[in-house]
Amino acid sequence: MLKQLYIKNFTLIDELNIDFHPGFSVITGETGAGKSIILGAIHLLLGQRADTRQIKEGRSKCIVEAHFDLSTCHLEDFFQNSNIDYDASDCILRREVSSNGKSRAFINDTPVSLTLMRECGELLVDIHSQHQNLLLQKEDFQMNVVDIIADDKPLLDDYKHHYADYLQAVHKYEEQKKIIAQNRDQEEFLRFQYNELDKANLQADEQESLESQVQTLSHIEDIKSALFQTTSLLNNDDNGAVNLVKNAADSLQNLVDVYPEIQDAAQRLESAGIELKDIADEVDHKLENIDFDPQQLQQMNDRLDELYSLEKKFHASGVNELIDQRDQLKQEIANIDCSDDFLADLEEAMSVAHDNCAKIGQRLSEARLHAAKKIEAEMHQRLVPLGIPKVRFSIDIQHTDCQPMGLDKISFLFSANSSTPLQPVAQVASGGEIARVMLSLKAMISGAVKLPTIIFDEIDTGVSGRVAEKMAETMREMAQQHRQVIAITHLPQIAAGGTSHYKVSKEETSEGTVSTMRELSEKERVREIAQMLSGSDISQAAIDNAQALLDAQK
């Protein structure tokens, strides 16, 4: 629950630090006093987009901070998965907005993204404002209410998993069907391309080998000349390098007996002579075997021209890429040849995925149907005391094919009297009736959702008198189920129902208009409620009436 709220430099608020209590609290104040400012600060804290216009004029930044007690919320996993320190007795959410447009968010002094702060806020506080009554027009909201009461999250998650598989199977089938249709349109061209590449008898790395051989043959005369010159220098009978080295080795070897220190040099020179002789023989052998065939060179150049032409035509960077394209064309042609069988297999897989999805969806529909009966009965029990004695509330569930949320199309039907046919609630209910329907729904689902704090912003629109008292009773009942309920109200009957009472007021100071909020004492509550009953001139009768309202709630 919300324990403490601190606001600084936010619109008309200089600095506000106020404690909140368990149970049912009410916030009152004249129109324009600043109740919406308090709510706006909480919205900012829960991840709403910041606006620099929210900073009090002349200040550099605004701060909103709240302390929550999470001891009954079981949120350890959320904090652990988010890598945030967890303190069940004091969880701190803080938001800072600077005049330069920068916004920072913190959870327990850890900087977090706005998305994460929003996720955390949705686990802590539910704010119901007047515009949320429009949710009754939306099918997904109505579906969500039924799912909450059905407690079908594991089943719904299972359905979504199978639905994703079904969508994937449909996509694969449709995509392949489209590809096959396109391929059939250009089948003749595909076969022509494949035959051209297949006829080329492409070999991996062939181009590199040919280019190397052509390079060699193109310089054959230079190669032969160099080999011949090398052979002459090595094998010349008189002054060839082989003979000169051999003679030098023999000379040193003759000195070994009289000059032992030269033996190592003599052996090394002898080894060099042997190596040199091997080199001379190898060069001579290459010279004898090298040959130039102009026809062979022409064939190689012709083959390279063929490969270069194919690469240009098929926009390939080399022979290996041409081979890949050839193989891909072969597969596409094979797909065309057996496309009917292939599509039949994909269609069967799609059918199986649909059946699996529908099977889970049927179980989900049964759970929703059971929950719908429960909702209808409870809504009747709640709406009759709220001043709609002839109310009829029904949930129409129409079955459809597999959809993202199941096989159901859900609509809340409503009639305030026995003579009017049931119609969608948003179309026939008055503003006051919609407010009571929404309050009843919130009261019903709050027990299932287990949100620690629920804030109602003028949920009492369009009601008064005895109905307002019953609405206060409903909110008190919600607050007794281990949660905190805060209502912003203009009605004295609801204000009297709170166990704690806060007043928002506005005053003029030397620095301009300032909004403040404080908790009222019992005596102050009497005067505030009396003023709500009679206006600015508080009569003794209004005070007595206010006291009676408060006494009736004890």
Side-chain angles (χ1 to χ4, degrees), residues 379-422:
M379 287 295 288
H380 185 269
Q381 293 174 0
R382 289 184 177 277
L383 289 170
V384 169
L386 291 177
I388 317 179
K390 302 293 185 180
V391 66
R392 286 182 293 154
F393 185 92
S394 177
I395 300 178
D396 180 45
I397 302 180
Q398 299 290 330
H399 291 289
T400 66
D401 197 8
C402 295
Q403 299 293 324
M405 294 296 291
L407 310 179
D408 309 303
K409 184 177 178 64
I410 288 180
S411 178
F412 287 180
L413 305 180
F414 175 86
S415 174
N417 53 72
S418 56
S419 61
T420 303
L422 286 164

Side-chain angles (χ1 to χ4, degrees), residues 191-242:
R191 291 188 184 276
F192 172 78
Q193 286 187 310
Y194 170 73
N195 290 334
E196 187 174 16
L197 290 175
D198 186 55
K199 184 179 178 181
N201 193 26
L202 301 169
Q203 304 295 324
D205 303 322
E206 176 187 11
Q207 180 176 325
E208 291 79 2
S209 176
L210 285 172
E211 288 173 341
S212 176
Q213 293 181 62
V214 168
Q215 179 77 2
T216 299
L217 293 176
S218 299
H219 295 81
I220 193 67
E221 294 300 330
D222 294 335
I223 295 171
K224 290 176 69 174
S225 176
L227 290 176
F228 179 78
Q229 185 179 7
T230 301
T231 298
S232 298
L233 291 172
L234 291 175
N235 285 330
N236 188 285
D237 291 339
D238 295 327
N239 56 358
V242 173

Side-chain angles (χ1 to χ4, degrees), residues 49 80 84 107 218 231 236 247 414 461 466:
R49 176 173 291 185
Q80 182 176 354
I84 300 174
I107 299 177
S218 299
T231 298
N236 188 285
N247 292 336
F414 175 86
T461 301
R466 179 62 180 163

Side-chain angles (χ1 to χ4, degrees), residues 6 19 31-32 46 108 118 125 215 225 236 347 356 377 391 404 423 425 438 471 523:
Y6 175 78
D19 295 329
T31 301
L46 301 180
N108 290 339
R118 191 177 297 117
V125 181
Q215 179 77 2
S225 176
N236 188 285
E347 190 172 12
N356 290 337
V391 66
Q423 296 184 52
V425 60
M438 286 299 293
M471 293 182 77
K523 186 176 180 180

